[in-house]
Amino acid sequence: MDGPCLKEVDMSSGGQQQSNNTHSEISHEHGVAPKPLAEVGGFQITNSLATSWAVVLLILVFSIAIRLKISKVPGKLQGAFETLIEKFLELFDTVTGSRGKSVKFFPFIFAFFVYILLNNWMGIIPGVGSIGGIAEHGGDKAFVPFLRGGTADLNTTLSLAIIGVVASHIFGVLALGAWHHLNKFINIKAILSIPRQIKKDPTVLIINPIQVFVGFIEIIGELAKVASLSFRLFGNIFAGEVLLAAMSAILAFGLPLPFLILEIFVGLIQALIFAILVLSYLSVHTMEEEH
């Protein structure tokens, strides 16, 4: 974790700083923005992005290792993983109401869960956020950690939220068709039905415009989903890192331990909440609209 803000200032022999004396300030502030490590072809690589790539590599290696050891007669480790998957499917069933949907969405949602969980926990591993170097920008020196928890970066959580919400609409189109899915938000059917229904039921002049207005509210709701998912995850993980940094600054040994255990639990809960919310969006958008 980043330590407290430290400043090193060169003083003159008389104990007073002179205006012509060289001095340097090294900032160790725990800022919201990720710190850049390098730039490749105009693309900036930050410490949080490096951590995210490390998590992806870890998942890839672990997945290949598991795949190579899968057998028809499961051992203890494979049996434990199969039990874990079954428990997740049972949890997913409570959201989707269908084992078929749970199995269909499982690879996508479980990948979200594992990726977010590992990124959450990477931020509290000793050395992540505290091992780095000194970078100079505009005459100011600042400590730049080589790694930082990926989900403590709003760019990461916003990207995950956009992927989750957009995927729910893609699945909705595949399940219901583009026309039916679009009419959940821009109710073209309600507008087109007014001329042929007005003679039989004049109330369509009131009801159908309301249905169109409700569709526009649904669009705002979809944008709110992105904001809610991204800021909830980012806020909890970033606040946890700041809390651990503050406790470490007060007393490095012993005091941060209870908060470290709390952050392990928070990281697990936040990953599960994010995954279940995305699953609920997928389930709702692949469901026929009830009248």
Side-chain angles (χ1 to χ4, degrees):
M1 293 295 134
D2 293 349
C5 180
L6 301 177
K7 295 184 178 180
E8 299 177 3
V9 182
D10 295 335
M11 305 298 292
S12 64
S13 58
Q16 296 181 353
Q17 183 179 2
Q18 304 295 328
S19 60
N20 59 347
N21 283 20
T22 60
H23 70 279
S24 62
E25 295 182 356
I26 302 177
S27 174
H28 289 248
E29 294 178 356
H30 197 106
V32 175
K35 301 295 176 62
L37 299 177
E39 188 171 321
V40 180
F43 181 77
Q44 197 174 71
I45 299 175
T46 63
N47 48 9
S48 60
L49 181 60
T51 306
S52 298
W53 285 351
V55 169
V56 171
L57 181 61
L58 180 64
I59 293 173
L60 182 61
V61 172
F62 191 65
S63 300
I64 294 174
I66 291 177
R67 179 66 183 88
L68 293 175
K69 292 188 177 182
I70 290 179
S71 62
K72 292 183 179 180
V73 181
K76 293 182 179 180
L77 184 60
Q78 183 177 333
F81 274 104
E82 289 179 359
T83 302
L84 178 65
I85 290 173
E86 182 61 31
K87 294 300 180 182
F88 266 95
L89 286 173
E90 291 176 1
L91 176 62
F92 289 2
D93 289 345
T94 63
V95 178
T96 62
S98 166
R99 176 51 65 98
K101 278 189 175 183
S102 298
V103 172
K104 180 181 179 180
F105 297 147
F106 179 82
F108 183 71
I109 300 300
F110 191 69
F112 257 101
F113 171 75
V114 173
Y115 177 79
I116 294 173
L117 178 64
L118 292 180
N119 267 291
N120 291 349
W121 284 352
M122 281 287 284
I124 58 178
I125 293 177
V128 175
S130 60
I131 298 177
I134 306 299
E136 187 170 350
H137 180 71
D140 296 328
K141 293 182 179 180
F143 173 76
V144 178
F146 294 139
L147 295 174
R148 178 188 182 182
T151 46
D153 180 3
L154 184 58
N155 296 300
T156 303
T157 59
L158 182 60
S159 300
L160 290 170
I162 291 174
I163 291 171
V165 172
V166 170
S168 70
H169 291 284
I170 293 174
F171 276 97
V173 170
L174 294 176
L176 306 177
W179 173 254
H180 289 289
H181 185 74
L182 179 64
N183 275 277
K184 289 183 178 182
F185 306 97
I186 304 175
N187 204 330
I188 302 174
K189 290 191 296 185
I191 299 173
L192 296 178
S193 65
I194 292 177
R196 66 173 181 268
Q197 291 183 1
I198 189 170
K199 291 183 179 180
K200 297 180 180 179
D201 186 10
T203 59
V204 295
L205 289 173
I206 299 175
I207 296 174
N208 287 27
I210 292 176
Q211 291 178 347
V212 174
F213 179 72
V214 169
F216 288 124
I217 294 178
E218 289 291 333
I219 294 176
I220 297 174
E222 294 303 303
L223 298 176
K225 287 178 183 178
V226 175
S228 174
L229 283 173
S230 57
F231 281 103
R232 178 190 294 110
L233 180 58
F234 163 73
N236 279 278
I237 302 306
F238 178 74
E241 288 194 357
V242 173
L243 177 63
L244 286 175
M247 294 301 104
S248 298
I250 296 172
L251 183 61
F253 301 100
L255 183 59
L257 184 58
F259 299 96
L260 183 63
I261 296 173
L262 176 63
E263 284 308 307
I264 292 174
F265 182 72
V266 169
L268 173 63
I269 294 299
Q270 289 302 317
L272 187 60
I273 289 174
F274 195 104
I276 293 300
L277 285 174
V278 174
L279 176 63
S280 68
Y281 301 155
L282 290 170
S283 182
V284 168
H285 286 318
T286 55
M287 188 184 302
E288 287 285 354
E289 185 178 3
E290 297 181 1
H291 296 278

